[in-house]
Amino acid sequence: MVKMFSLIVVFLVLKLSFAFCRLSDPTFFWRIKDKENYLGDKEADCLFSIYTKHGYVKNDYYSDNLDKQVTPKTILLISSVYFAIEEINRNIHILPNISLQVKIECNLMLDHVKGGLSLKRKEIVPNYYCKNQRRYLIVLTGPLWITSYKFGPILYFSRTPEIYCGYFHFLSDQEQFPHLYQMTPKDTSLSLAMVSLAVHFRWNWIGVIITDDDHGIQFLSELRAIMEKNTVCLSFVTIITYDNTLYIKMASKYYHQIIMSSAQAVIVYGDKESPIQLSFMLWKFENLQRLWVSVSQFDMITMIGDFMLNSLHGTLIFSHQQSEMFGFKQFMQTVHPSNYSNDISFAKLWWTYFKCSLPPPNCTTLKNCPIKTLFKWFSVPSLGMSMSETCYNLYNSVYAVAHSLHEIVLQHVDTYSENDGKVLDYISWKVFSFLKTIQFVNPAGDLVNMHQNRKLDTEYDIFYIMDILKQYSLKIKIGRFSGHFPNGQQLFMSNEMIEWATNLKEMLPSVCNMPCSPGLRKYFNEGKAICCFDCYTCPENEISNMTDMDQCVKCPEDEYANTDQTKCLKKLVTFLDYEEPLGIALAGLALCFSALTAVVLCVFLKHRDTPIVKANNETLSYVLLVSLIFCFICSLFYIGHLSMATCILQQITFAIVFTVAASTVLAKTITVVLAFKITVPGRRLRWLLLSGAPNYIIPICTLIQMILCGIWLGTSPPFVDADLHVEHGHIIIFCNKGSVIAFYCVLGYMGSLALASFFVAFLARNLPDTFNEAKLLTFSMLVFCSVWITFLPVYHSFKGKAMVAVEVFCILSSSAGMLLCIFLPKFYIILLQPQINSFNEFRKIHAKEINVN
């Protein structure tokens, strides 16, 4: 047991070590469609009865009578048995002085109606204990499972064990078939291998065609389970019935089921001898084109002279891994010198291989290869004859019998000597018992383990079959599946070979709908398969950077999605800067108006002794001009890089200097009213004007505003903040007001001062207007109030830098309104009409106004 286990471990290590190397070495096969052979690859049912003889006895290989009874494909099966026996009989290390012989009988099933069975002749029943009748050691059957099923009871009663060498079928039940050993292991990994291929090619919408039997139904059940785990969906399932009457009714439905589906890849599995073969011949005339995925038993030519799964898109075939038998071609030429004298005859019979031959140097892809180049490539000296799976199973079965018999001979060597070299009466069941547990390495270097419970995980070669010309086909090994590797690493594909063979970088897509490209996400519709979905654009500021993403990924707060929503970009940090046009314009206006205000102040100081300056309290005019200069300058705090200090200064400076300006206007307005209304000697309020009481309005109002600002700073002062969402792709740096209530209290207080000034000035608008500021103050407060009343809705309708720009513009426009409305007329008189600005002229004008009144 230890020796056996060690052999398996060493073999696995060697297989895994060379897995990539063997796949990297291209393996090509070519075949000619023989239109003259109307039987195609039809196989006959055969019994290969093995018996022994003493010494070296050559088998009678060539039989014209047998060749006439069977199809060309069956000759290949028979030749594989003869080839194995010839190798064993010439090998001095296996069964020395004992030769294996075989009796071959084919076409035993003449009729199969209502369970009936007709035999060609009675002599075919092996190991029947009659006098002078040969006893057979074991019987090999294949490729049709029905032969084993029908002849099984006869072989069992005659005490002859059987090895079934055809494709796997449910013949392993020890209670029903105790005498039978099935050479082909169950395809336990086939479903996983096919789904792994679908995942590799990104197929998620696949059709399935199976036969209506236990074999097909179980395969479908296993396939469904694995497909669900890998998010691959079934587009349709076509189950081909065996009932001829029902098949005629359903044939049209089968066809429409396929053509109405959008699935381009279709898996085919079942019994090739069922009506499924007829279906594909009918579909060929309908020009039904799909990428067929199947197993090696469907790699066959039908009676119409074309491949059963022929397609313009090619065919993918899963075949059990097997090595090519060197010398098999030469053996067939020896046995059948007239039929297989050249390479063309072999290419018509079966696939001819030229392993490890690189593609022609002048062919970048197969489709652009000149015909002459391809023919030269096919006829390279390394041509060899390949074996089908059934041939390979027959070959290994013969070797299994030989090794089992060899073990028995070694155990009974003494008995063999006492019999003086006579042939032992070997017990068939003893050989059969040895055979079911033996393992060996065949001449091709493959480990053959006959223990049913210890058979190695099934491995598959993956071939791509395509037509080159009308009569020539090429089969290329493009990958392999090995169950020895962990999940997700079991499939190996040669993308270079696929691209060279198909001239496409990707295999034909088979999806329910086109994949969702980056920037889109999948949306699943209720009631539809999970593989069928719609593609919706990602929500705002979310991305999908891969194909077929279920959910979009939200960008971080400091990043934003690009236009295609495929990647996140860093947001640009922005604020109202001096380097941008808007910042430059606002800063320029602020400086210009500040300079203009300073000029006006200088002019007023220079002409301070003139009536127009002295009228309405010149001190208040100076205070108002200075406060307006600061009003213009405070707007600069809103522009440029922000900090905690600038945020506090811009709000507090704005509040205080505007309060000073508004309270100064109120004081000037009250001064005008008092000057014209309180002029009668002895009035009680006369002392208000003479004492300069209106001037105290400024510090009182300013103090109240300073108290409000102090409360603001103490509770929730302004601070630097960043708005990540207001403007796409930008992070807006701005000064957060802190307490919004405090901000609007400060603003409301300034507004109340402005409204009070406007109300008082409005009452004094009809007083004599010689150097009278009543109308000018009224209009200036109207402008001031209009600007700030408009400010509130406009300010909240903008976002980002625009909000700051609106606030700066309101500061500048309201300050400019007061400057221009109050001081521009006086500035005009001082500079352009100095003759009016004199006390004599003032008395004349004032006298006229009194007479008019």
Side-chain angles (χ1 to χ4, degrees), residues 674 677-691:
L674 291 176
K677 295 295 183 181
I678 311 174
T679 57
V680 180
R683 290 270 308 255
R684 294 181 185 178
L685 297 179
R686 180 180 176 83
W687 65 272
L688 290 175
L689 181 62
L690 297 176
S691 62

Side-chain angles (χ1 to χ4, degrees), residues 626-695:
V626 172
S627 65
L628 288 178
I629 292 175
F630 281 103
C631 286
F632 289 123
I633 292 176
C634 80
S635 65
L636 298 178
F637 287 124
Y638 292 81
I639 306 172
H641 185 73
L642 300 176
S643 64
M644 184 72 172
T646 55
C647 286
I648 294 175
L649 283 174
Q650 69 177 217
Q651 300 299 332
I652 301 305
T653 306
F654 160 73
I656 293 175
V657 298
F658 263 80
T659 300
V660 172
S663 60
T664 302
V665 172
L666 178 60
K668 288 176 71 66
T669 308
I670 292 175
T671 300
V672 172
V673 173
L674 291 176
F676 284 94
K677 295 295 183 181
I678 311 174
T679 57
V680 180
R683 290 270 308 255
R684 294 181 185 178
L685 297 179
R686 180 180 176 83
W687 65 272
L688 290 175
L689 181 62
L690 297 176
S691 62
N695 296 342

Side-chain angles (χ1 to χ4, degrees), residues 25 87 114 121 195 221 248 341 490 502 552 561 640 760 795 809:
D25 296 333
E87 284 186 335
K114 295 181 182 180
R121 61 180 192 274
V195 174
S221 176
I248 294 174
S341 58
Q490 298 162 317
T502 62
C552 297
V760 175
Y795 179 77
F809 180 78

Side-chain angles (χ1 to χ4, degrees), residues 451-671:
H451 201 300
Q452 289 283 11
N453 296 329
R454 296 180 182 174
K455 281 196 172 182
L456 301 178
D457 290 337
T458 306
E459 296 185 349
Y460 298 95
D461 286 329
I462 304 172
F463 294 96
Y464 179 74
I465 301 177
M466 62 177 299
D467 287 346
I468 301 176
L469 297 173
K470 189 174 182 180
Q471 290 185 327
Y472 296 88
S473 293
L474 184 67
K475 182 162 76 170
I476 307 168
K477 184 177 177 180
I478 62 171
R480 68 168 44 189
F481 178 88
S482 176
H484 303 301
F485 289 90
N487 288 336
Q489 303 176 20
Q490 298 162 317
L491 185 70
F492 305 94
M493 300 297 293
S494 174
N495 295 324
E496 293 80 9
M497 291 306 302
I498 295 173
E499 184 175 352
W500 182 82
T502 62
N503 197 24
L504 298 171
K505 290 189 177 181
E506 294 184 358
M507 194 64 77
L508 181 72
S510 184
V511 292
C512 181
N513 47 266
M514 294 307 294
C516 293
S517 59
L520 304 175
R521 67 176 178 90
K522 294 194 291 187
Y523 177 80
F524 298 97
N525 295 302
E526 188 176 353
K528 289 188 178 181
I530 193 172
C531 303
C532 300
F533 47 82
D534 296 325
C535 296
Y536 283 8
T537 305
C538 288
E540 186 179 357
N541 210 38
E542 294 187 13
I543 66 164
S544 61
N545 55 4
M546 292 186 294
T547 302
D548 280 344
M549 287 188 65
D550 293 332
Q551 296 293 334
C552 297
V553 179
K554 191 174 183 63
C555 289
E557 290 291 325
D558 60 341
E559 296 181 359
Y560 70 99
N562 63 345
T563 306
D564 297 330
Q565 292 186 278
T566 56
K567 60 181 178 180
C568 293
L569 303 175
K570 280 288 184 182
K571 289 183 178 179
L572 298 176
V573 178
T574 183
F575 49 87
L576 188 59
D577 196 10
Y578 288 111
E579 296 180 357
E580 60 180 291
L582 182 59
I584 294 172
L586 293 175
L589 284 174
L591 293 175
C592 289
F593 278 114
S594 298
L596 179 61
T597 308
V599 170
V600 173
L601 178 60
C602 292
V603 170
F604 267 57
L605 289 172
K606 184 179 179 180
H607 299 84
R608 59 182 177 274
D609 295 327
T610 59
I612 199 168
V613 176
K614 285 183 173 294
N616 299 295
N617 199 328
E618 61 180 304
T619 304
L620 293 180
S621 297
Y622 299 150
V623 172
L624 181 58
L625 286 171
V626 172
S627 65
L628 288 178
I629 292 175
F630 281 103
C631 286
F632 289 123
I633 292 176
C634 80
S635 65
L636 298 178
F637 287 124
Y638 292 81
I639 306 172
H641 185 73
L642 300 176
S643 64
M644 184 72 172
T646 55
C647 286
I648 294 175
L649 283 174
Q650 69 177 217
Q651 300 299 332
I652 301 305
T653 306
F654 160 73
I656 293 175
V657 298
F658 263 80
T659 300
V660 172
S663 60
T664 302
V665 172
L666 178 60
K668 288 176 71 66
T669 308
I670 292 175
T671 300

Side-chain angles (χ1 to χ4, degrees), residues 828-847:
Y828 173 78
I829 293 173
I830 292 172
L831 295 182
L832 300 181
Q833 291 184 336
Q835 68 278 6
I836 300 177
N837 189 18
S838 65
F839 286 104
N840 292 329
E841 191 66 26
F842 171 75
R843 292 189 185 95
K844 293 178 182 179
I845 296 174
H846 185 62

Side-chain angles (χ1 to χ4, degrees), residues 334-535:
T334 303
V335 176
H336 304 280
S338 59
N339 293 343
Y340 306 107
S341 58
N342 53 45
D343 294 333
I344 300 298
S345 58
F346 281 106
K348 288 183 178 180
L349 176 64
W350 191 239
W351 292 102
T352 304
Y353 71 87
F354 38 110
K355 186 178 179 181
C356 297
S357 300
L358 295 174
N362 298 329
C363 304
T364 55
T365 62
L366 184 60
K367 292 185 178 181
N368 63 11
C369 277
I371 302 302
K372 292 182 179 180
T373 305
L374 284 175
F375 283 146
K376 289 180 181 179
W377 188 41
F378 293 157
S379 58
V380 292
S382 59
L383 277 168
M385 190 69 190
S386 68
M387 282 187 175
S388 65
E389 280 194 35
T390 305
C391 290
Y392 192 66
N393 288 335
L394 285 167
Y395 178 86
N396 285 331
S397 298
V398 175
Y399 265 94
V401 172
H403 281 285
S404 301
L405 191 56
H406 185 76
E407 291 291 330
I408 296 176
V409 170
L410 292 178
Q411 291 181 8
H412 299 82
V413 66
D414 295 335
T415 306
Y416 183 72
S417 301
E418 291 174 2
N419 287 337
D420 196 22
K422 294 182 180 179
V423 179
L424 288 172
D425 185 14
Y426 297 115
I427 302 175
S428 298
W429 288 97
K430 192 170 186 179
V431 174
F432 189 60
S433 178
F434 266 88
L435 181 141
K436 290 191 291 184
T437 58
I438 200 169
Q439 64 177 358
F440 58 92
V441 178
N442 66 13
D446 292 338
L447 177 65
V448 181
N449 186 357
M450 301 295 288
H451 201 300
Q452 289 283 11
N453 296 329
R454 296 180 182 174
K455 281 196 172 182
L456 301 178
D457 290 337
T458 306
E459 296 185 349
Y460 298 95
D461 286 329
I462 304 172
F463 294 96
Y464 179 74
I465 301 177
M466 62 177 299
D467 287 346
I468 301 176
L469 297 173
K470 189 174 182 180
Q471 290 185 327
Y472 296 88
S473 293
L474 184 67
K475 182 162 76 170
I476 307 168
K477 184 177 177 180
I478 62 171
R480 68 168 44 189
F481 178 88
S482 176
H484 303 301
F485 289 90
N487 288 336
Q489 303 176 20
Q490 298 162 317
L491 185 70
F492 305 94
M493 300 297 293
S494 174
N495 295 324
E496 293 80 9
M497 291 306 302
I498 295 173
E499 184 175 352
W500 182 82
T502 62
N503 197 24
L504 298 171
K505 290 189 177 181
E506 294 184 358
M507 194 64 77
L508 181 72
S510 184
V511 292
C512 181
N513 47 266
M514 294 307 294
C516 293
S517 59
L520 304 175
R521 67 176 178 90
K522 294 194 291 187
Y523 177 80
F524 298 97
N525 295 302
E526 188 176 353
K528 289 188 178 181
I530 193 172
C531 303
C532 300
F533 47 82
D534 296 325
C535 296

